[in-house]
Amino acid sequence: MLLFFVMIALSNGIFIILSRSVNGALSQVTSAFYASLVNHVIGFLFLSIIILFTSSLFTLDLTHIPLMAFCGGIIGAFFVVINSYVLPLLGATLTTILAIGGQVLSSFVIDIIQHGLPEHFYLQSLGVILILAAIGIRHIKPATS
């Protein structure tokens, strides 16, 4: 069963890159904000159709959803806009590596804020530093003579 979830997570990574590439191409023809709008409108329509056909599985009661939960949509929209803007300039690989670096650093900080220092804080800190250093190596240019 674990393998099934690993495959879903890997597929998610593929879909993220495909989505970024399509949105990046669209942003070059229009703008990053327009690409994000198209992304979210099409996503909304797609999810609406799924919900229509599986309505017995979904119940919607907005009164029990905390207001803070709606910030995820705003953050997601900015994520798509930023990726649509940056990907054509930096390329898919560098954009992905930098995004992962930001995810690693922010998730480490959020975990510390929410749960306190982890048991292996120094080892995890070293891991974060090594990941960020590896990303930084990409930008080091050899000295010219």
Side-chain angles (χ1 to χ4, degrees):
M1 188 57 133
L2 177 64
L3 180 61
F4 175 72
F5 293 116
V6 167
M7 295 307 294
I8 290 174
L10 287 173
S11 299
N12 187 41
I14 293 168
F15 290 135
I16 288 171
I17 296 305
L18 290 174
S19 175
R20 285 179 179 174
S21 297
V22 169
N23 290 331
L26 181 57
S27 75
Q28 286 186 306
V29 177
T30 58
S31 73
F33 283 98
Y34 184 78
S36 181
L37 176 66
V38 169
N39 175 281
H40 285 89
V41 167
I42 298 300
F44 171 77
L45 293 173
F46 176 73
L47 291 176
S48 296
I49 291 169
I50 290 174
I51 289 171
L52 284 175
F53 287 109
T54 59
S55 61
S56 63
L57 300 177
F58 294 98
T59 58
L60 184 62
D61 182 9
L62 298 178
T63 60
H64 292 91
I65 299 174
L67 191 57
M68 182 60 111
F70 293 101
C71 291
I74 296 169
I75 294 167
F78 275 113
F79 170 78
V80 174
V81 168
I82 290 167
N83 275 294
S84 297
Y85 179 73
V86 182
L87 188 127
L89 302 171
L90 299 179
T93 302
L94 184 56
T95 299
T96 301
I97 289 170
L98 292 171
I100 291 170
Q103 290 172 359
V104 167
L105 183 59
S106 61
S107 62
F108 185 64
V109 171
I110 289 170
D111 278 349
I112 290 171
I113 291 169
Q114 290 181 343
H115 307 291
L117 293 178
E119 181 179 344
H120 302 288
F121 173 73
Y122 295 109
L123 189 58
Q124 288 183 5
S125 297
L126 178 62
V128 170
I129 290 168
L130 289 173
I131 289 169
L132 296 177
I135 291 169
I137 288 173
R138 168 73 163 87
H139 294 291
I140 296 174
K141 296 182 181 183
T144 56
S145 340

